[in-house]
Amino acid sequence: MTQSPTGITGFGAYIPRLRLSRKAMAAALDWLDPNLAAQGKGERAVANWDEDSLTMAVEAARDLLAARALSPDRLVFASTTLPFQDRSNAGLIIDALGLDGGTRPADATGSLRAGTSALLSALEQTGTSLLTAADRRLARPGSVQDFTYGHGAAAVTVGSGPGVIAEFLGGHSIFRDLVDHYRAAGEAADYVLEERWARDEGYLKIVPVAVKGALSKAGISADQVDHFILPGTMAKIQATLAAKLGMRPDSVVDPLAGTVGDTGAAHALLMLADILGRTQPGRVILLVGYGQGADAILLRTTKALADFIPATGVAGWLSRRQAEDRYLKHMSFSGMVDIHFGMRAEHDKRTAHTVAYRKRDMVNGLTGGRCGSCGCVQFPRTRACVNPACGAIDTQTPVRLADEAAVVKTFTEDWLGFTPCPPLAYGNVQFANGANVMMEFTDIQAGQLSVGLPVRLVFRLKDDDEKRGFRRYFWKATPQGGA
Amino acid sequence: MAKGIRDKVAIIGMGCSRFGERWDAGPDDLMLEAFQECIKDAGIDKSDIQAGWMGVFFDEQSVGKSALPLSMALRLPNIPVTRVENLCATGTEALRGAVYAVAAGACDIAIAMGVEKLKDTGFGGLPERTKGTFEDLWLPQNTAPGGFAQLGAAYAARTRTDMADLKRAMAHISVKSHANGALNPKAHLRNPITEQQVLDARMVAYPLGLFDCAGVSDGAACAIVTTPEIARSLGKHNPVTVKALQLAPSNGVELAHGSWDGSYTLTTRIAAKRAYEEAGIQDPRAELSLIEVHDCFSVTELVVMEDLGLSPEGGAVRDVMDGFFDRDGKIPCQIDGGLKCFGHPIGATGLRMVYEIYLQLQGRAGERQLPDPRLGLTHNLGGLPNRNITSVAIIGRLEG
């Protein structure tokens, strides 16, 4: 062990609250293919209409950060479902997290391995990285993938020193252009080939090469691996590979297939966050990412692991759950059916980008102002203080509201206004520091809102400008902790 | 020290179109309809009018920008016309322009016209609109009912009123307005309803059901104003005069300062206080004969009774249930049906309210005439509870 080890220094996760029943999905499709009943087990995590890979990545990073201040050298966002092809997605995450301007953003994409490849790169670099990974992969209704995919995100920080909770022991990466599935640019869903071929010629031949390479570099034998992490929803694929490679049967980590589904580029890191949240110091973790080749990364947890606790963690997100059995709702959220929302949905959502740029810290980071003269905290931040007893000019300094305690002051559930998931709920939110913002509520159940209800703030999609292919984000309030 | 507008300006003619879903009429037709009644009532010639103010809110929806639509619709003789817009206070704002011009001596006779053509959108409810380039980036794309609905839970929380009791008081308000509207031949909605119907109606924006919401209507209303001296010279004895005309826009306190609890309308309190001072009213609950308030939603009517100083704090539910604001109560409210049933063509609404007070003060309100009213108040609340413009006008008669 080196004096100043490099490795993982923190972890976080995010699993959206809606969990779609696969039994309900199969029941809706029994006319199409009665054999889909075999897929009707457990549930999968589905994003709310206002969540995409970017918003989920922000939540995973916030889960990691909790209240910790951090200024990483790099912020990497790995996903195969980046909302923008040309606009720094990672940069928007930096803004949403309120990190200072010194962090360099990078998007990593192009393969389901994007998450593990970015992690390997970060581990091999000097300096500190905040790595986020998230996917909201869409699948055609009736496809097996619509059953097996899940939506979610994970985050890890990489660095060196005493804060390392899982030391990097070695890694190996190989590339093979084996196209068992692909998604061409501009396509909504994957094109997927026969599973037997993908398993026999892909997983079973390619993963061992990467794993053996990593074990050899780290000087670790297969039976020393305590936790074998490999995403994938093929039956028994993890156990088969563990046996083939000589790993103990109990090393196989649950791929969360029955509770979350396969979260794409995020999944290896989501499983890692799950294990880090429940393992002990001194355990060897083998983390494998698969997709046109494979990455294998070996880590050993340290004593510092016990000191790191994410805000909610995988177990917490799994229990923050709302059962959903309406497949049609999921299809509408995915854009796979074109639901009639009435003429109010035609409202033009054109963005004045000049304004969005001027106000970017307020909109992206929910940053208001604190008057240096009277102390009044207000949103938006303006040149003239809103306090009627003050009114001082040019006295306000930025103050971030996104992590402040807040309660519902007023609310309504509006069945007239357009939203992809009626009712449109909104109201005034009172912050503990005195600020007041009228904003949307999200992830609520009918009748859940009440005056005084504690809420937390989440970064969400505000609206989609389908005419111009742009999407806007802003912060919304959601009941604290509640399902 | 300014003395205010009290008794400096007389209203010598008013007109109001039939309100409703006027599939038959455009905004020009509606303005002409109101004007024909108004000019006949004033007993003057069109060429006697020296300046005009036109109010319309959704200009994009109907008439387009500028004051041209009024000048063109009435074929005015190229007199100056100003177009004004101040959300739901637009109609009163048009009247304010005309009244101030006469009071200033800039002209002898002026016209104020308010118009709105809402039913050309193809869908129910008010049209969608942008809130501003920055506001669209963060404010919810709320609707009008959703904006005002929030008063409900906040009022219930502040006054510790059970929501079921608040809902019943709100229902009483709507039942009363429908009963009043049934007696008004120009009203949009003329069907009496029951409390149970209100409580059973589908939810629009919690806690507002369908019958807690005002009608979305087309219509126009106008007034011709002059000095009391000229009014008398035209044979108008004891002319109807403006006692107060106040306007209070928000400055951001409700939106961004934590001091507002969301349960009342701050600008109403400010405008009402100023208006009572301007009119010389000491005790509005005792002195006012009738009121027309901005009942865009039942809950708005309820909370503004306290904001106008007519009900004690937390006492609006009791007053409403006691029938204090019913047609046979101490201060009849919305005797013409209000926004709820006369209708709410936004730009016309403020002038429609003054029209009703004007008729009532002269004993010309037909089947709905109240016995001997002396002093009436009108109130508009434009915008949402957290960002709005209130206008308050007080109208009476001038002896002599």
Side-chain angles (χ1 to χ4, degrees):
Chain A
M1 197 180 284
T2 56
Q3 284 305 303
S4 181
T6 294
I8 286 166
T9 55
F11 62 93
Y14 178 70
I15 301 164
R17 168 179 153 273
L18 292 176
R19 310 295 158 80
L20 181 59
S21 156
R22 293 198 179 102
K23 193 176 172 188
M25 295 174 75
L29 293 162
D30 62 352
W31 58 273
L32 176 73
D33 182 359
N35 293 320
L36 285 171
Q39 301 288 338
K41 295 177 193 121
E43 56 190 22
R44 54 158 300 186
V46 294
N48 201 346
W49 76 268
D50 58 357
E51 297 184 289
D52 62 12
S53 58
L54 194 153
T55 67
M56 292 193 292
V58 169
E59 278 307 295
R62 294 177 79 207
D63 190 44
L64 180 155
L65 292 168
R68 290 175 275 263
L70 205 67
S71 302
D73 300 319
R74 291 172 291 273
L75 186 141
V76 183
F77 177 29
S79 176
T80 70
T81 52
L82 295 171
F84 288 93
Q85 291 197 343
D86 185 355
R87 179 196 183 187
S88 176
N89 300 279
L92 191 47
I93 295 175
I94 289 174
D95 271 9
L97 294 175
L99 303 179
D100 70 33
T103 301
R104 179 157 28 109
D107 291 325
T109 187
S111 163
L112 291 180
R113 265 203 294 156
T116 50
S117 296
L119 176 59
L120 195 52
S121 297
L123 289 165
E124 288 167 353
Q125 285 174 311
T126 56
T128 53
S129 300
L130 169 52
L131 168 61
T132 61
D135 250 333
R136 179 177 173 264
R137 289 186 297 168
L138 305 182
R140 295 233 156 270
S143 67
V144 170
Q145 289 70 42
D146 213 17
F147 286 84
T148 59
Y149 286 2
H151 300 153
V156 293
T157 44
V158 172
S160 56
V164 168
I165 58 173
E167 181 188 357
F168 177 48
L169 303 176
H172 192 68
S173 183
I174 62 162
F175 172 76
R176 297 281 186 278
D177 188 30
L178 184 142
V179 183
D180 57 0
H181 77 281
Y182 65 93
R183 188 180 341 125
E187 289 295 320
D190 296 354
Y191 190 84
V192 183
L193 289 99
E194 188 186 14
E195 188 179 290
R196 297 176 60 81
W197 174 64
R199 183 189 63 201
D200 295 349
E201 200 63 15
Y203 274 86
L204 295 183
K205 288 189 178 170
I206 293 171
V207 169
V209 178
V211 168
K212 284 173 187 167
L215 290 170
S216 162
K217 284 182 191 173
I220 299 261
S221 63
D223 62 356
Q224 286 179 282
V225 171
D226 295 302
H227 303 298
F228 170 42
I229 294 173
L230 172 69
T233 49
M234 285 179 195
K236 301 189 183 98
I237 188 69
Q238 289 84 4
T240 304
L241 274 162
K244 187 178 164 90
L245 286 160
M247 286 182 273
R248 307 194 306 270
D250 67 358
S251 68
V252 172
V253 175
D254 170 20
L256 305 172
T259 49
V260 180
D262 185 343
T263 62
H267 208 66
L269 299 181
L270 182 66
M271 291 170 70
L272 176 65
D274 179 29
I275 274 298
L276 289 174
R278 57 192 171 89
T279 192
Q280 307 297 320
R283 299 294 160 90
V284 174
I285 298 171
L286 170 60
L287 178 68
V288 176
Y290 178 81
Q292 297 91 51
D295 299 314
I297 298 168
L298 279 159
L299 304 158
R300 183 186 286 119
T301 53
T302 73
K303 284 180 180 153
L305 178 66
D307 300 330
F308 187 91
I309 300 168
T312 300
V314 173
W317 293 122
L318 283 173
S319 66
R320 177 192 174 268
R321 162 189 172 279
Q322 190 189 331
E324 179 60 69
D325 59 7
R326 288 163 293 191
Y327 191 26
L328 189 59
K329 185 172 159 187
H330 166 62
M331 283 190 266
S332 177
F333 286 6
S334 305
M336 293 293 170
V337 294
D338 190 10
I339 295 283
H340 174 69
F341 285 109
M343 289 187 196
R344 285 184 187 277
E346 297 168 11
H347 178 70
D348 197 331
K349 297 160 192 95
R350 183 188 163 276
T351 296
H353 288 283
T354 49
V355 180
Y357 182 66
R358 284 200 295 274
K359 311 282 190 184
R360 63 190 181 280
D361 73 319
M362 288 191 243
V363 176
N364 296 343
L366 195 65
T367 302
R370 177 181 278 112
C371 175
S373 182
C374 73
C376 173
V377 179
Q378 51 208 281
F379 185 94
R381 188 174 70 248
T382 53
R383 288 193 60 200
C385 177
V386 73
N387 180 356
C390 177
I393 307 282
D394 293 337
T395 54
Q396 293 175 50
T397 51
V399 52
R400 179 173 157 89
L401 301 175
D403 306 310
E404 286 290 317
V407 297
V408 174
K409 180 193 271 184
T410 70
F411 70 93
T412 187
E413 291 177 8
D414 184 344
W415 292 93
L416 185 64
F418 165 68
T419 166
C421 188
L424 180 64
Y426 48 87
N428 285 279
V429 170
Q430 175 77 51
F431 290 78
N433 63 14
N436 178 86
V437 184
M438 184 161 106
M439 60 203 317
E440 277 184 50
F441 297 109
T442 191
D443 284 358
I444 56 158
Q445 285 172 297
Q448 189 182 6
L449 294 171
S450 63
V451 174
L453 182 76
V455 289
R456 63 186 288 268
L457 289 306
V458 290
F459 188 67
R460 293 293 175 100
L461 205 65
K462 186 171 191 299
D463 43 32
D464 247 322
D465 181 358
E466 288 168 0
K467 200 184 278 184
R468 302 171 188 83
F470 192 72
R471 54 180 52 185
R472 296 197 281 220
Y473 299 89
F474 188 60
W475 294 80
K476 300 182 186 180
T478 190
Q480 224 174 43
Chain B
M1 185 69 181
K3 293 196 181 85
I5 205 73
R6 181 179 172 183
D7 289 332
K8 288 179 180 168
V9 178
I11 303 172
I12 56 168
M14 288 203 76
C16 184
S17 77
R18 185 168 58 79
F19 282 11
E21 292 174 324
R22 295 293 303 269
W23 312 117
D24 61 311
D28 50 345
D29 303 320
L30 295 168
M31 284 191 278
L32 196 64
E33 188 176 321
F35 180 68
Q36 284 178 301
E37 180 187 353
C38 181
I39 192 87
K40 188 175 167 211
D41 179 36
I44 60 169
D45 190 79
K46 184 165 78 177
S47 61
D48 296 327
I49 303 170
Q50 295 157 358
W53 274 261
M54 182 195 117
V56 62
F57 175 49
F58 281 110
D59 57 343
E60 305 85 349
Q61 214 66 48
S62 53
V63 297
K65 297 214 175 284
S66 89
L68 281 173
L70 179 65
S71 189
M72 308 266 280
L74 305 188
R75 304 295 186 209
L76 293 173
N78 308 101
I79 59 168
V81 182
T82 304
R83 186 233 154 167
V84 297
E85 185 279 303
N86 238 342
L87 303 174
C88 291
T90 294
T92 305
E93 186 68 297
L95 178 66
R96 189 163 159 268
V99 164
Y100 274 37
V102 167
C107 59
D108 290 330
I109 298 178
I111 185 169
M113 172 74 77
V115 64
E116 208 75 45
K117 177 68 197 177
L118 294 172
K119 296 306 298 179
D120 281 341
T121 56
F123 56 87
L126 293 176
E128 296 280 330
R129 65 189 173 91
T130 176
K131 295 178 186 347
T133 51
F134 176 42
E135 287 74 8
D136 283 347
L137 297 179
W138 67 277
L139 279 172
Q141 185 57 33
N142 64 278
T143 64
F148 282 94
Q150 296 168 56
L151 288 169
Y155 180 88
R158 188 196 87 208
T159 60
R160 298 176 195 279
T161 303
D162 188 84
M163 185 51 85
D165 293 335
L166 183 61
K167 285 278 286 179
R168 250 191 309 282
M170 286 156 57
H172 185 101
I173 284 170
S174 295
V175 169
K176 168 266 299 168
S177 292
H178 272 261
N180 289 348
L183 299 178
N184 183 353
K186 287 184 177 178
H188 180 173
L189 302 172
R190 303 196 60 200
N191 55 320
I193 56 168
T194 65
E195 182 184 291
Q196 204 53 46
Q197 265 179 292
V198 181
L199 295 174
D200 291 345
R202 71 177 167 88
M203 196 59 79
V204 174
Y206 176 86
L208 303 178
L210 182 65
F211 288 106
D212 291 301
C213 306
V216 172
S217 327
D218 304 323
C222 67
I224 292 173
V225 296
T226 186
T227 63
E229 295 72 32
I230 295 171
R232 289 185 183 112
S233 76
L234 291 167
K236 316 277 182 187
H237 298 295
N238 301 333
V240 173
T241 56
V242 177
K243 306 290 182 186
L245 198 40
Q246 288 294 332
L247 193 79
S250 294
N251 60 13
V253 164
E254 306 96 307
L255 190 73
H257 193 248
S259 56
W260 179 64
D261 71 2
S263 72
Y264 61 97
T265 68
L266 178 62
T267 59
T268 299
R269 294 181 177 218
I270 295 164
K273 184 166 176 289
R274 286 187 201 144
Y276 296 143
E277 276 169 20
E278 187 169 43
I281 291 176
Q282 309 293 326
D283 181 357
R285 189 173 165 104
E287 294 175 56
L288 290 172
S289 315
L290 76 159
I291 57 176
E292 292 283 333
V293 306
H294 203 80
D295 59 327
C296 47
F297 303 97
S298 57
V299 72
T300 322
E301 178 170 328
L302 186 129
V303 306
V304 301
M305 291 312 164
E306 294 175 23
D307 299 337
L308 289 169
L310 301 176
S311 291
E313 294 287 340
V317 167
R318 194 181 57 240
D319 275 348
V320 164
M321 295 309 288
D322 285 352
F324 190 84
F325 302 109
D326 293 353
R327 65 172 293 109
D328 56 355
K330 174 66 181 61
I331 305 181
C333 178
Q334 330 295 53
I335 193 65
D336 60 356
L339 278 73
K340 176 76 190 81
C341 293
F342 201 143
H344 185 27
I346 301 172
T349 283
L351 281 157
R352 181 275 299 164
M353 292 174 167
V354 175
Y355 173 76
E356 180 63 17
I357 306 281
Y358 174 82
L359 293 182
Q360 290 281 352
L361 292 174
Q362 297 176 88
R364 294 165 54 193
E367 215 184 330
R368 63 186 187 281
Q369 179 63 47
L370 297 169
D372 196 31
R374 296 298 178 93
L375 206 55
L377 173 145
T378 72
H379 160 263
N380 297 123
L381 183 65
L384 300 176
N386 67 351
R387 197 164 80 135
N388 57 68
I389 294 167
T390 289
S391 62
V392 173
I394 297 172
I395 310 291
R397 300 197 74 160
L398 182 61
E399 296 293 316

